[in-house]
Amino acid sequence: MEKLTAKINGNDADQDIKSPCIRQCCLGTDDVCVGCYRTITEIMDWHQSTKNQKKDILTRCLLRKKQRPHS
């Protein structure tokens, strides 16, 4: 979770925001990836998204991760 938070809070304006993908791609029953917590739409739109949109996506991912029950 710290890595995801660091990606959101990064302050280097010239550095592109990296994808949260951790190569554990599998959609859960809620159509959210169990590896990065993005929706399929967020995954498909990532490369066209602006930096602000990517920050918003990462924020939503962090919230989803916190809400996901631990197994």
Side-chain angles (χ1 to χ4, degrees):
M1 180 141 27
E2 291 144 9
K3 288 181 184 179
L4 189 56
T5 304
K7 288 180 184 182
I8 295 170
N9 295 328
N11 56 7
D12 185 358
D14 294 332
Q15 185 177 3
D16 193 27
I17 298 172
K18 294 182 181 175
S19 168
C21 181
I22 59 169
R23 308 289 189 248
Q24 292 183 343
C25 306
C26 181
L27 294 180
T29 57
D30 55 357
D31 286 334
V32 173
C33 177
V34 299
C36 69
Y37 299 95
R38 289 182 292 171
T39 65
I40 189 67
T41 303
E42 292 168 339
I43 293 168
M44 293 183 340
D45 293 345
W46 182 261
H47 291 289
Q48 299 92 301
S49 298
T50 65
K51 287 184 183 181
N52 283 336
Q53 289 170 326
K54 289 178 180 181
K55 286 181 180 181
D56 290 343
I57 291 169
L58 292 174
T59 298
R60 289 191 298 271
C61 291
L62 187 59
L63 290 172
R64 289 183 195 119
K65 186 172 184 174
K66 287 180 179 179
Q67 294 172 348
R68 174 107 1 144
H70 298 282
S71 47

